[in-house]
Amino acid sequence: MGGWVDVAQIISALATSLALIFVARATRHSRQTVEESQRMRRLESERDDRAIAVAERRQASRIVCWPVRGEVAGKVQWGIELINASDAPVFGLSVHRSEGMSRKGTSIPEIRATAKILPPGRYFVPDRQRWPVYVQQQAILEPVPGNADYMPAICFMDSDGRSWVRGADGQLGDATASRTGSDVTSAPASAK
């Protein structure tokens, strides 16, 4: 009878060992599954954050400007072409270009213009006017490339109430964050 007890203990020990191996493998597999699940959740969260950031910038990225020369109001003028290519107006717009000097040594006058509301469309901001002037799509305004002193900085609030700055270097940024490269010194009045 002592032999049967030894065989039963050996079988029991083998079954316990196999169960422990199975538990160890199942635990390792569960840990890998949890790690993979956490990695996928992080990826989804990052993707969602990027989608939110893109959606937040969608309107602001469609507000652009550059220096131009063209016939506006019956005379050739230098100034800034400002385009709101979004589907909604922007608010508390301010356009600022510091006084500067062209490469040929010509003085570039300062521009300070504002608009409480800027509907979608194409606008011209002349040197000596305090607000943008609407121009028809067929109007010809020649861009003035190659001289950074002609570039303005703009500040505005989008239709969702977020304030933005597009610096003289063309970079678009949140107006509540750092304003590196921007000549605009204040957020839109309606954003304060």
Side-chain angles (χ1 to χ4, degrees):
M1 180 124 140
W4 289 107
V5 172
D6 290 337
V7 171
Q9 286 178 344
I10 291 173
I11 291 174
S12 175
L14 283 174
T16 301
S17 296
L18 287 174
L20 287 174
I21 290 171
F22 176 76
V23 167
R25 284 188 173 184
T27 301
R28 185 177 53 177
H29 178 71
S30 293
R31 185 175 33 86
Q32 289 172 339
T33 302
V34 167
E35 288 172 357
E36 180 65 16
S37 175
Q38 288 173 341
R39 187 180 74 78
M40 292 302 289
R41 190 176 49 123
R42 272 193 313 274
L43 287 173
E44 288 294 324
S45 176
E46 290 170 3
R47 187 176 312 143
D48 290 346
D49 290 346
R50 280 193 305 272
I52 289 168
V54 165
E56 286 177 348
R57 293 176 69 93
R58 184 163 284 132
Q59 182 183 16
S61 67
R62 300 193 68 170
I63 312 301
V64 294
C65 62
W66 51 83
V68 295
R69 184 181 90 103
E71 188 173 328
V72 178
K75 63 180 182 173
V76 175
Q77 301 181 56
W78 292 77
I80 305 298
E81 182 171 2
L82 177 64
I83 296 179
N84 177 356
S86 73
D87 296 331
V90 295
F91 304 91
L93 173 83
S94 64
V95 179
H96 179 250
R97 179 183 70 195
S98 298
E99 188 174 344
M101 195 64 71
S102 73
R103 286 186 288 177
K104 294 181 180 179
T106 306
S107 176
I108 301 170
E110 177 183 46
I111 289 181
R112 281 195 182 275
T114 61
K116 290 187 179 193
I117 183 169
L118 188 78
R122 184 175 176 213
Y123 299 87
F124 179 72
V125 182
D127 289 341
R128 291 168 182 75
Q129 192 152 341
R130 295 196 174 287
W131 54 86
V133 176
Y134 181 78
V135 292
Q136 297 294 326
Q137 290 300 324
Q138 64 271 19
I140 298 173
L141 299 174
E142 297 175 33
V144 180
N147 194 334
D149 289 337
Y150 284 114
M151 280 300 293
I154 60 174
C155 186
F156 58 92
M157 185 173 59
D158 67 17
S159 59
D160 290 327
R162 285 183 291 276
S163 294
W164 298 93
V165 172
R166 185 175 296 280
D169 60 359
Q171 294 290 320
L172 178 65
D174 185 342
T176 59
S178 173
R179 295 192 176 118
T180 305
S182 173
D183 292 332
V184 176
T185 57
S186 62
S190 54
K192 291 182 181 174

